[in-house]
Every structure is written in C-alpha cells, then in structure tokens.
Amino acid sequence: MKFLEVENLTTRYQTSKGQIHALDDVNFSLEKGESIGIAGESACGKSTLGLSMIRMIQGGKIVSGKINLDGESVLDLTESDFNQNYRWKKIAMVFQGAMNSLDPVYTIKQQFVEILKQHKYEGDSDKLILKAINSVNLDESVLKKYPHELSGGMKQRIIIAMALLLKPKFVIADEPTTALDVLIQAQIVNLLKKLKKDGMSIMLITHDLAILSEIADKIGIMYGGKMIEFGNSNAIYKNPKHPYTQGLLESIPTLHGGKPKFIKGNPPDLLSPKEGCKFIDRCPEAMEKCKKDPPRFKTDSGYVMCWLYE
Ligand code: SF4
C-alpha cells in the first residue's frame, strides 16, 4: 500500500449563486518520504485540495472520494477522532498567509503553549517547543519575543515550527513563500528541503514552478478543479504533456531566455462548468472530441488528461 492515496476526491462550495465545482475527481499517490508539488493558476483548486485533505472546508463539503494516509482512511474517521488524534498529529497544514495570524499580544512561547494545551499534551512542553524551534533553524531567544519583533522570514519559520510541533507525518504548505522577498524565499525553500531530507513528506502548493523543482519528487498540475497531469517532477519538467502544463512552463521567465509566453484567455467558470476538457477555450490544439471529458491516459510516471494521448 502507498503512503498516501487520493482517489476521485471531489469538493464543492455552496454559494448564493449555486455550487462551485472547486475540486473535481482528483487522483494521485505518494510513496513514503516522497513530496509532491501542486501547481496551477489562481482558483484552480490547489488550496481546496489541501483544505480537503485536512478536512477544513468552510462553506462547502467533500462530496466523494477517498484519502488513505499511512494505512488509514482519513474521510472515514469521526470528526472528534480526526480532531483529537489526526489533525496536527499525523497531518498538518501551513496555511496561506498564516504568518499574519500570529497573535500580536502574546509572546511566541505563549502561542506554542496554547497549541499544546488545546491538544492536551502531557509531556515536557519546553523541550518539545525548543525542538520545533531548532528544527526551523531558530534559537530559543525568539520564544520571548512578540510577533512584531520578528522579520517576515522568522514569522514564517515560526508558523512552520507550529505545524511540526506534534510531529506529523505529512505537512501541507500552502504558498509558504508568497509575499516574502527572494532571500527569505530561499531560506524557506532550504528549510523545506532540510525537512524533506529528515524524512518528512510535504505537499507544497504554489504557483511558482521554479520553487517546486527544488523540492518535489512528484508534481500535480491543477486546472479548473481537476488534476490534469501528474507524474515524476523530472519527467514533467523535461517533457510536459498537457498543453496547459506546457504553457505554464513556457511562462516562467528565464535569465538568458527569450520573452516568456503567456496562456491566452481566462480560467473556466467553476460555477457552471461546461462538459468536456476545461482547457478547450484556451488550447491551441483543441479538436472536436475535446468536447467530451478526457479520461486519465497513462504516462511513464503518472497520467495526463488530454485527448492528444488517447
Ligand atoms: Fe487541448 Fe483537447 Fe487536450 Fe483539452 S483535451 S488540452 S482541448 S487537446
């Protein structure tokens, strides 16, 4: 059995205008110790995938699918079992923009202690907090400080340390480098690489494909709520198959390359998605049969959802 298996995961949000098809039939798997990068443009379902995996969908619900993590069926656990024994202990998430959620009136240590209280931790709290702080390359002097006394990079590392506090097996990091300058981004990327080397499985959600190439063993490309390509990161970088993945990679600016290309058009409407391939209106290779939803066609290391590979 694989370490992580996600099958046919489908999540909808209910709005006054109708249902948003945020995540549609998503499939992927990981071996123990592997990490995955999830990429795609805004509103493609990346964050909803992370939130579904940690069962924190607000204003919506998971309508079907399976998540098996380390031999356990995550979606079959009761809410109290999941809260007490699973969330943060086996699976944790670094939320998008979370460094701004540190409480300004409490010291960093008080905020760590609060987490342990909530989880009824009975061991040596000081030792555990220090270990978590050290694991993100900070020393104990930060524990006496208030958030405003720390730089953006330090705050982000504190948030990552909080996610690691109860030693989860799998950590989801949603855009952990967004809004940080390039030097701090490099620090966070190095930190994630170190955690991975220490055996942590990471799911890194980002729109920055350059960062994914440094960390991910596998890559999942999302478009219109679907994972339209999945496979080994080397294979996807060297030989992207889906026209959207190709466009995404061609849009990365390079130092000595020519002008980056852009994908014309807009993301699909997820409120009333059309039948067929969601990329059809923007795809330079669209054909008549693309009006039918493409199934998953096998590639050497994963799959691609595009009729070109039938
Ligand atoms: Fe383009 Fe058709 Fe492939 Fe969709 S299925 S990406 S429209 S070729």
Side-chain angles (χ1 to χ4, degrees):
M1 186 180 272
K2 304 226 176 200
F3 172 66
L4 172 67
E5 285 177 296
V6 174
E7 283 176 27
N8 311 112
L9 191 61
T10 300
T11 301
R12 305 257 189 275
Y13 291 107
Q14 193 61 49
T15 69
S16 56
K17 291 183 181 160
Q19 277 197 344
I20 296 182
H21 296 232
L23 209 61
D24 199 359
D25 202 14
V26 166
N27 291 266
F28 67 93
S29 61
L30 291 182
E31 302 289 352
K32 206 168 178 81
E34 277 188 335
S35 292
I36 183 167
I38 305 291
E41 59 200 350
S42 298
C44 65
K46 306 186 294 288
S47 296
T48 301
L49 174 58
L51 292 168
S52 299
M53 292 183 63
I54 198 162
R55 289 179 43 172
M56 288 186 79
I57 298 292
Q58 291 192 339
K61 67 174 186 177
I62 297 169
V63 293
S64 60
K66 283 185 193 166
I67 303 170
N68 281 309
L69 181 67
D70 208 18
E72 245 169 319
S73 176
V74 174
L75 299 183
D76 289 334
L77 298 170
T78 62
E79 193 53 31
S80 70
D81 194 10
F82 189 76
N83 269 340
Q84 280 165 24
N85 303 317
Y86 219 84
R87 193 182 285 129
W88 308 126
K89 290 184 179 162
K90 294 187 181 166
I91 183 167
M93 186 159 177
V94 176
F95 296 98
Q96 199 171 351
M99 68 178 184
N100 300 320
S101 67
L102 287 169
D103 196 322
V105 298
Y106 291 103
T107 64
I108 299 302
K109 178 159 183 188
Q110 286 168 322
Q111 301 190 49
F112 272 98
V113 169
E114 185 58 28
I115 296 173
L116 293 176
K117 256 197 228 161
Q118 292 296 326
H119 285 89
K120 301 184 176 60
Y121 182 74
E122 288 173 349
D124 184 340
S125 302
D126 285 352
K127 202 170 159 192
L128 192 69
I129 294 170
L130 191 58
K131 208 169 164 200
I133 284 291
N134 291 158
S135 74
V136 296
N137 302 331
L138 291 172
D139 64 52
E140 68 182 311
S141 63
V142 296
L143 293 172
K144 292 187 195 131
K145 298 196 169 162
Y146 289 88
H148 74 271
E149 298 179 276
L150 304 174
S151 68
M154 287 166 108
K155 282 193 272 190
Q156 188 62 304
R157 277 188 276 166
I158 297 277
I159 290 292
I160 294 173
M162 285 176 168
L164 301 179
L165 191 58
L166 296 168
K167 302 194 195 102
K169 295 176 179 173
F170 188 63
V171 172
I172 301 163
D174 190 359
E175 304 277 7
T177 56
T178 302
L180 297 174
D181 66 54
V182 281
L183 291 176
I184 308 291
Q185 275 187 12
Q187 282 178 13
I188 300 296
V189 170
N190 285 338
L191 170 61
L192 294 174
K193 278 160 103 173
K194 174 182 168 281
L195 295 173
K196 183 172 177 275
K197 210 170 150 200
D198 294 346
M200 171 89 60
S201 280
I202 300 169
M203 181 163 118
L204 178 60
I205 299 171
T206 181
H207 59 271
D208 189 336
L209 282 162
I211 284 177
L212 283 193
S213 66
E214 304 230 16
I215 293 163
D217 305 295
K218 297 271 166 71
I219 286 187
I221 305 290
M222 303 282 302
Y223 187 79
K226 288 185 176 282
M227 189 172 282
I228 45 99
E229 186 162 0
F230 167 73
N232 287 346
S233 54
N234 279 345
I236 290 185
Y237 276 103
K238 280 193 193 139
N239 183 19
K241 299 219 174 301
H242 197 284
Y244 175 68
T245 314
Q246 292 165 0
L248 212 53
L249 285 167
E250 282 169 2
S251 69
I252 302 174
T254 56
L255 213 49
H256 305 293
K259 271 190 183 173
K261 293 184 185 158
F262 298 98
I263 303 171
K264 289 183 196 143
N266 294 312
D269 177 9
L270 298 182
L271 206 49
S272 46
K274 287 186 208 158
E275 289 274 301
C277 174
K278 303 287 171 281
F279 193 53
I280 191 166
D281 295 335
R282 306 169 76 184
C283 180
E285 313 210 42
M287 338 168 237
E288 189 55 31
K289 73 161 93 168
C290 304
K291 290 180 183 162
K292 280 195 297 169
D293 239 344
R296 287 185 293 279
F297 295 112
K298 260 178 111 66
T299 58
D300 288 346
S301 64
Y303 67 81
V304 59
M305 294 178 74
C306 171
W307 285 113
L308 291 170
Y309 302 93
E310 189 180 9

